[in-house]
């Protein structure tokens, strides 16, 4: 019988950590999905982006922090309601490792396509923080050289 994803006191579910054939991988601290409890709107968005992404690109994108169980603070001013997610920019080599937008391994075009896919799949307007000013519609924010932050 398939396992049910862990659920927190708010009724938010943890993002599946290693689904077979998924277009994403997970990372972040704390580890093992402890900071990946998503509001139903964010979960729906992530899964919709993932399904479309696998049709567009063979690389997986990295999903990081969303929220810890119960919405407790964990080193972020935000990430308390399950409506925000950190995503790694894409690498040209496809490795599942951090990369900054200043690195020669960074794939600006692929990252721009991924950010646009988030916008296209969202049921409501999104704010995207990322320090690569060459990607339209993103806003700079200190600490966002190695990931973009998507929020409703």
């Amino acid at each position: 019988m398939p396992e049910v994803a862990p659920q927190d006191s708010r009724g938010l579910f943890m993002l599946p950590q290693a689904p077979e054939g998924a277009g994403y991988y997970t990372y972040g601290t704390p580890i093992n999905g402890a900071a990946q409890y998503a509001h139903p709107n964010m979960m729906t968005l992530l899964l919709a982006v993932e399904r479309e992404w696998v049709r567009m690109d063979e690389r997986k994108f990295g999903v990081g922090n969303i929220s810890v169980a119960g919405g407790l603070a964990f080193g972020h001013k935000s990430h308390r309601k399950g409506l925000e997610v950190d995503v790694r920019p894409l690498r040209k080599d496809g490795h599942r490792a951090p990369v900054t937008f200043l690195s020669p391994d960074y794939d600006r075009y692929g990252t721009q396509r991924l950010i646009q896919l988030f916008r296209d799949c969202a049921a409501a307007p999104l704010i995207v923080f990322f320090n690569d000013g060459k990607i339209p519609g993103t806003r700079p924010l200190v600490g966002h050289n190695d990931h973009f932050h998507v929020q409703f």
Side-chain angles (χ1 to χ4, degrees):
M1 184 178 300
E3 284 188 41
V4 175
Q7 187 177 18
D8 75 359
S9 61
R10 302 168 293 175
L12 304 188
F13 286 95
M14 181 190 292
L15 181 71
Q17 294 299 290
E20 189 174 328
Y24 69 88
Y25 65 93
T26 57
Y27 74 95
T29 55
I31 61 171
N32 298 323
Q36 293 186 321
Y37 285 86
H39 183 280
N41 292 344
M42 180 56 73
M43 185 71 76
T44 299
L45 176 60
L46 286 166
L47 297 176
V49 168
E50 182 272 331
R51 284 294 85 199
E52 292 301 316
W53 183 252
V54 297
R55 295 181 183 133
M56 298 170 57
D57 202 297
E58 62 187 26
R59 296 172 291 183
K60 294 179 185 266
F61 63 92
V63 177
N65 291 338
I66 302 170
S67 177
V68 297
L72 302 173
F74 69 110
H76 288 274
K77 290 180 182 176
S78 57
H79 292 274
R80 305 284 297 270
K81 297 179 182 177
L83 290 168
E84 302 161 284
V85 63
D86 291 337
V87 179
R88 282 187 175 152
L90 292 170
R91 297 175 57 97
K92 292 176 182 172
D93 59 17
H95 292 167
R96 299 176 190 179
V99 66
T100 73
F101 78 93
L102 301 167
S103 169
D105 295 322
Y106 167 61
D107 180 354
R108 177 175 289 123
Y109 175 71
T111 301
Q112 183 173 336
R113 286 178 32 217
L114 182 58
I115 290 172
Q116 187 58 50
L117 187 57
F118 270 90
R119 292 188 188 288
D120 292 345
C121 291
L126 298 175
I127 298 170
V128 179
F129 294 105
F130 186 43
N131 290 342
D132 182 351
K134 294 183 180 177
I135 295 187
T138 60
R139 300 178 188 181
L141 187 63
V142 172
H144 289 77
N145 286 355
D146 64 351
H147 69 279
F148 59 91
H149 172 102
V150 176
Q151 71 182 49
F152 283 100

